[in-house]
Amino acid sequence: LEVLLMASLVAHAAIGVLRIRRRPRGSLTLRSRWHRYAGIFLLVFVFGHIAAVRGPSLVLDVYPQFSGLSFTMAAFPWFFYPYYTLLATAGFFHGLNGIGIAAGRFGVRLRVTQRMLTTCSGVALVATVLALLAFGGQLFEVADPMDNDFARLALKLIADLAG
């Protein structure tokens, strides 16, 4: 299943890059430009994100789970709170807007209005921030984020890189 998902992601990214090269930015609507910006952001970060989340489990049998999420936010809050917020919001916006585009390509009339897109993306943003605050231990007590296999692996790798 993961191989199929990865293949579809690579195909989607490749087609997106080809479309970017074919259609100049100036000819796009504001909504289309935001769709493109969200897609570019996702493209830049998604493969690193997948490697960080799935790599340790596939190679070293270390699963990040939610304790890994808490670790990243405790160890590097200045990076991971904004990163996860942007990743989730860009993914939601790109996905929701993309559903409307894809439906039209398949002949299904599905109207995703600007108001729907803005409202749903705003709700997703608020939900994401609340979820991150919860996982980061800001709203609820969480287990020690430094006491799990993923944290130990990450700290070891950081120490090894630092010398």
Side-chain angles (χ1 to χ4, degrees):
L1 181 62
E2 285 185 23
V3 172
L4 291 174
L5 286 172
M6 191 60 131
S8 66
L9 177 64
V10 168
H12 182 75
I15 291 167
V17 168
L18 290 174
R19 288 182 54 82
I20 287 172
R21 294 187 62 182
R22 266 195 354 220
R23 189 162 183 186
R25 189 177 72 173
S27 66
L28 298 174
T29 65
L30 179 61
R31 182 170 163 174
S32 294
R33 281 195 302 267
W34 276 107
H35 183 79
R36 180 175 284 184
Y37 298 150
I40 291 168
F41 177 84
L42 293 168
L43 181 61
V44 167
F45 288 102
V46 74
F47 294 106
H49 182 81
I50 291 168
V53 172
R54 292 298 294 141
S57 59
L58 292 173
V59 177
L60 302 170
D61 203 33
V62 173
Y63 296 85
Q65 301 176 331
F66 289 121
S67 57
L69 180 67
S70 293
F71 162 74
T72 60
M73 292 187 295
F76 308 100
W78 50 270
F79 178 80
F80 281 103
Y81 277 99
Y83 166 72
Y84 290 137
T85 301
L86 288 171
L87 188 68
T89 305
F92 187 84
F93 176 86
H94 189 77
L96 183 59
N97 195 53
I99 287 170
I101 294 168
R105 296 264 192 313
F106 288 109
V108 176
R109 181 159 160 66
L110 177 65
R111 184 163 154 77
V112 178
T113 66
Q114 185 63 43
R115 178 177 288 212
M116 287 170 48
L117 190 59
T118 302
T119 302
C120 290
S121 295
V123 169
L125 174 61
V126 170
T128 297
V129 169
L130 289 173
L132 291 174
L133 290 172
F135 289 130
Q138 306 302 316
L139 299 180
F140 307 102
E141 191 164 331
V142 297
D144 181 0
M146 302 299 175
D147 186 23
N148 61 73
D149 290 339
F150 182 80
R152 284 186 279 281
L153 173 64
L155 291 171
K156 181 184 180 321
L157 289 173
I158 292 167
D160 289 349
L161 288 172

